[in-house]
Amino acid sequence: MTEAEDRKPQSDEARSAFTPPAGVEPAESESSTTSEFAIPAGLGVPAAADAGPEGSAFTTPSTYSAKAAPPAFTPATGMPVVSLTKGAPWQDRMRTMLRMPVAERPAPEPVQRTEEGGPAVPRVLDLTLRLGELLLAGGESAEDVETAMFAVCRSYGLDRCEPNVTFTLLSISYQPSLVDDPVSAARTVRRRGTDYTRLAAVFQLVDDISDPETHVSLEDAYRRLAEIRRNRHPYPTWALTLASGLLAGAASVLVGGDPVVFVAAALGAMLGDRLAWLCAGRGLPEFYQFTVAAMPPAAMGVALTLADVDVKASAVITGGLFALLPGRALVAGVQDGLTGFYITAAARLLEVMYLFVGIVVGVLVMLYFGVQLGAQLNPDAALGITERPVVQIVASMLLSLTFAVLLQQERSTVLAVALNGGVAWSVYGAMHYAGGLSPVASTAVAAGLVGLFGQLLSRYRYASALPYTTAAIGPLLPGSATYFGLLSIAQNEVDKGLGSLTKAAALAMAIAIGVNLGAEVSRLFLRVPIAAGGGRKAAKRTRGF
């Protein structure tokens, strides 16, 4: 055998690509497996302490040294110390903490209503959800509902809680510590109402729970909640029907109507209200209820025109529209969008759109038949609105007062709302009629004053701001612009009609934004908790800085 044949392997297993060459000592343990994360041999690493039980993701690493820790997680200016003003209303204090991350919230306040062994977490969460359900069903904004829920949980010692509110779903999660399992609960809002008396009672209950000097146990809170649910509405059904008629009559006078127009608009609105109640009793959705309610006022105006009665039919139909326009839902939807609750805002605005389409369908049906029958309805009649300051101010106050009755407000708030509505119309009239400003700008300023006064009155009474603002914006609703836009469409003047409807939408947005801006401005004059060395935090952080 030659020398070359001696170097040739005898079989395939004699040598492989992984066999170490001759003269190279193999590793000590060929059977042990390694990885790319293994520490190289010869690298001096201090030995770990006695290996204890396996930790979790929150366990401090064994190689961590507090003295040698890098200051990477500390801002250059240091961690700001949050100082909560004790004299501020609980809404402002809770809203400020909600807008902070959990790690930056201050230490929990002294808890006085905990039972022995700590609060019953499931019961506290259930009470919180039930209170939030009544607030959301009553028309409160998502941020105010979250603020009230957070206030209740924190008052009973659950400081690490996170409420979450959408259009129909409320949820809350509580985590005792970083290593404990969280407890979550949810509740769905099935029905909505406009009982502001019940809304005020819920706010009073939340205020009493949040007051450190008032001891409200869980049993007392549940008892008061049951009483709030059992309470009847403050006004009977016939009073609501009469209020809807007076509202429509006052609105017709507001746009230039006379006593005959007042009576016609009131009769049409009361008939529409009764038909809507009949549809509601049959279980029809709100879309059809608004469609049916919009038909009688429009039919009344068309009938007066066909009978050659010397009245403003446009004022009759416009007055009926004032009682139907969903101003409450519009303001709440825009407020949710401005405070960062975009899902809830989109749902509320979609609801407003459906209700508005229902009103459009009902009025268009009546106007179409009126045009086909030869009714002489003039879209340019809007230019003939007479200026009667004293009569219009009185009509605006009556409109706000009846609107407050329809919203089931407390009798003690009706007078303040009526005055607020009169001030709003006075500002609008002075800016638009006397000053010659655009109706959109005049409406925005007047709505801003409504929001400002409403917020100040609510803080004075430690109640919700909705009862003081929703009814007061009634005189500013775009009823005439809506009517003339629909009339132009019924007469095949689509471009002109769309222009009027666009103006109505602009006026509605001006009302909603003005009310929210007035509420925000009012907080500048209150004792609002802020972070030391900085201003008031934004509602949401929508960017990465």
Side-chain angles (χ1 to χ4, degrees):
M1 182 178 296
T2 63
E3 183 179 356
E5 291 177 349
D6 290 337
R7 293 195 300 266
K8 184 179 180 180
Q10 301 297 325
S11 65
D12 294 338
E13 298 177 356
R15 186 182 300 275
S16 67
F18 300 98
T19 303
V24 178
E25 296 181 0
E28 295 181 359
S29 177
E30 287 288 341
S31 61
S32 61
T33 59
T34 60
S35 68
E36 62 271 22
F37 299 103
I39 300 176
L43 182 63
V45 178
D50 295 338
E54 182 180 359
S56 65
F58 303 100
T59 304
T60 305
S62 58
T63 58
Y64 176 79
S65 174
K67 295 182 179 180
F73 298 98
T74 303
T77 57
M79 298 298 294
V81 178
V82 178
S83 176
L84 295 179
T85 307
K86 294 297 182 181
W90 63 267
Q91 296 97 322
D92 288 334
R93 293 189 291 113
M94 297 301 110
R95 182 181 290 107
T96 301
M97 284 188 286
L98 268 179
R99 292 176 177 180
M100 300 178 188
V102 178
E104 297 181 9
R105 290 175 184 171
E109 299 173 356
V111 180
Q112 303 180 8
R113 288 170 291 279
T114 56
E115 303 170 357
E116 295 184 2
V121 175
R123 296 193 65 197
V124 173
L125 297 184
D126 178 72
L127 174 66
T128 303
L129 289 174
R130 291 179 182 273
L131 292 174
E133 178 190 8
L134 290 180
L135 293 176
L136 187 61
E140 276 290 351
S141 64
E143 186 181 32
D144 289 337
V145 176
E146 284 192 0
T147 301
M149 294 172 63
F150 185 76
V152 173
C153 285
R154 193 174 176 86
S155 299
Y156 285 111
L158 309 184
D159 57 300
R160 300 183 63 88
C161 62
E162 287 294 335
N164 187 20
V165 176
T166 57
F167 185 57
T168 57
L169 179 65
L170 300 96
S171 62
I172 189 168
S173 177
Y174 169 68
Q175 190 172 12
S177 65
L178 292 176
V179 296
D180 292 331
D181 295 333
V183 181
S184 300
R187 196 172 183 86
T188 303
V189 177
R190 302 292 183 184
R191 298 182 59 185
R192 300 180 182 274
T194 55
D195 191 346
Y196 280 3
T197 300
R198 177 180 295 177
L199 190 70
V202 175
F203 253 83
Q204 183 62 47
L205 176 57
V206 176
D207 181 68
D208 292 340
I209 293 175
S210 304
D211 190 358
E213 299 180 358
T214 304
H215 298 272
V216 180
S217 63
L218 284 175
E219 286 72 18
D220 293 337
Y222 269 106
R223 177 183 54 80
R224 291 179 58 178
L225 179 62
E227 293 177 356
I228 292 173
R229 287 183 173 275
R230 286 196 301 265
N231 284 344
R232 294 184 177 182
H233 299 304
Y235 306 102
T237 304
W238 64 266
L240 298 180
T241 302
L242 180 61
S244 64
L246 293 177
L247 189 155
S252 65
V253 174
L254 202 63
V255 294
D258 53 17
V260 177
V261 172
F262 180 93
V263 175
L267 292 178
M270 287 190 290
L271 180 58
D273 181 76
R274 286 292 86 199
L275 291 177
W277 276 98
L278 180 61
C279 294
R282 298 293 181 179
L284 291 178
E286 279 189 312
F287 177 86
Y288 301 105
Q289 297 177 28
F290 275 80
T291 301
V292 172
M295 288 183 176
M300 187 71 68
V302 172
L304 291 177
T305 303
L306 292 175
D308 293 331
V309 179
D310 188 16
V311 295
K312 288 185 177 181
S314 59
V316 176
I317 303 176
T318 301
L321 290 178
F322 266 86
L324 299 176
L325 293 178
R328 174 182 59 89
L330 175 67
V331 172
V334 174
Q335 183 176 359
D336 287 337
L338 294 176
T339 52
F341 294 84
Y342 301 113
I343 297 178
T344 306
R348 289 186 189 271
L349 294 178
L350 185 62
E351 179 189 31
V352 171
M353 187 193 72
Y354 271 103
L355 299 181
F356 187 76
V357 170
I359 298 172
V360 168
V361 171
V363 175
L364 275 181
V365 169
M366 293 293 102
L367 293 181
Y368 178 78
F369 280 110
V371 171
Q372 296 300 318
L373 294 176
Q376 299 297 323
L377 300 173
N378 184 14
D380 297 327
L383 301 176
I385 296 178
T386 58
E387 298 180 16
R388 300 172 296 176
V390 177
V391 175
Q392 289 177 331
I393 291 176
V394 174
S396 65
M397 295 178 64
L398 178 60
L399 192 154
S400 299
L401 187 147
T402 52
F403 202 174
V405 173
L406 288 176
L407 294 175
Q408 302 281 0
Q409 292 189 196
E410 294 179 301
R411 292 181 173 87
S412 59
T413 64
V414 171
L415 180 59
V417 171
L419 294 176
N420 200 7
V423 171
W425 179 259
S426 300
V427 173
Y428 171 80
M431 295 183 65
H432 178 55
Y433 295 117
L437 297 179
S438 67
V440 176
S442 304
T443 301
V445 174
L449 289 178
V450 168
L452 176 63
F453 294 153
Q455 194 69 227
L456 293 177
L457 286 173
S458 68
R459 297 308 172 88
Y460 175 74
R461 295 175 176 264
Y462 292 96
S464 171
L466 282 182
Y468 300 97
T469 58
T470 304
I473 64 173
L476 304 176
L477 293 176
S480 58
T482 303
Y483 162 69
F484 289 111
L486 299 179
L487 179 58
S488 299
I489 294 176
Q491 294 180 345
N492 293 325
E493 298 179 3
V494 179
D495 294 339
K496 188 175 181 180
L498 292 179
S500 297
L501 292 180
T502 302
K503 177 183 176 182
L507 292 173
M509 292 296 295
I511 292 173
I513 295 176
V515 169
N516 181 263
L517 182 60
E520 293 294 330
V521 170
S522 68
R523 296 191 179 102
L524 298 177
F525 301 97
L526 299 175
R527 299 173 60 186
V528 181
I530 58 176
R536 179 171 177 243
K537 291 183 178 292
K540 296 288 181 182
R541 293 181 179 178
T542 56
R543 297 180 177 87
F545 56 86

